[in-house]
Amino acid sequence: MPFGPAATTIGVMAGRVSATEQELRAWASRAMQGDRKASRRLFDEVVPIFVRTGQRTVGPRGSELEDFVQDASIRFFSSLPRFRGQSQLRWYAYRIASLTAADWIRSKSARKRSRVQSGLPEQLPAADYLARDAERWRIWNDL
């Protein structure tokens, strides 16, 4: 299930379909069994949550927003087997988005502090971005 550009994510958010909790749980169950169509439908339902949280955390658009949505999506799908069903699946997605936002903010401030202390520029070298993105795509494609 490849992840497209941020414009696709925003487009999905605009054409949002509202599924019932029962449908979400059925898709989640099938997604955990490897059903790509169910994974895509579940993704289409929860990505607006990740986009809105990302917009508040990293800004309204751009590659950072896309990275945030991708991180939250990977965390969500990776953690589905641990979902105990004690809350609605959308609330679970909100929780994943909130934790991702907290980690994102913490990570960004830690990177900034360490770069300021070491005298390095605030931007990561291109090779670091490429390595990070390659790892994300590997994890994403394994979902």
Side-chain angles (χ1 to χ4, degrees):
M1 180 168 68
F3 179 73
T8 303
T9 303
I10 304 300
V12 169
M13 186 174 134
R16 181 166 183 220
V17 177
S18 195
T20 66
E21 180 65 20
Q22 186 177 10
E23 288 173 316
L24 291 175
R25 287 178 187 247
W27 293 336
S29 177
R30 292 195 338 247
M32 286 187 288
Q33 296 170 0
D35 183 340
R36 288 192 177 275
K37 189 173 181 180
S39 295
R40 184 66 207 190
R41 292 186 83 178
L42 183 59
F43 176 79
D44 288 346
E45 284 292 324
V46 298
V47 77
I49 296 167
F50 304 146
V51 170
R52 284 190 303 269
T53 305
Q55 287 172 332
R56 288 190 306 269
T57 305
V58 301
R61 61 183 171 274
S63 63
E64 280 197 337
L65 175 60
E66 190 173 332
D67 288 346
F68 178 88
V69 171
Q70 189 173 24
D71 282 349
S73 300
I74 290 169
R75 288 180 181 197
F76 176 77
F77 280 96
S78 297
S79 69
L80 269 180
R82 294 188 302 274
F83 177 63
R84 295 181 296 200
Q86 294 176 335
S87 64
Q88 291 186 359
L89 202 55
R90 277 193 185 87
W91 283 113
Y92 187 67
Y94 278 113
R95 180 70 177 149
I96 297 293
S98 297
L99 292 173
T100 303
D103 288 348
W104 194 273
I105 291 166
R106 203 171 16 252
S107 170
K108 189 172 182 174
S109 67
R111 275 196 314 266
K112 194 172 187 175
R113 269 194 318 273
S114 70
R115 293 207 178 274
V116 168
Q117 290 170 354
S118 65
L120 294 174
E122 290 190 28
Q123 290 288 333
L124 290 173
D128 290 348
Y129 283 117
L130 292 175
R132 184 187 70 193
D133 287 346
E135 177 64 11
R136 282 190 180 142
W137 278 108
R138 185 192 64 72
I139 292 170
W140 182 256
N141 287 324
D142 288 344
L143 288 177

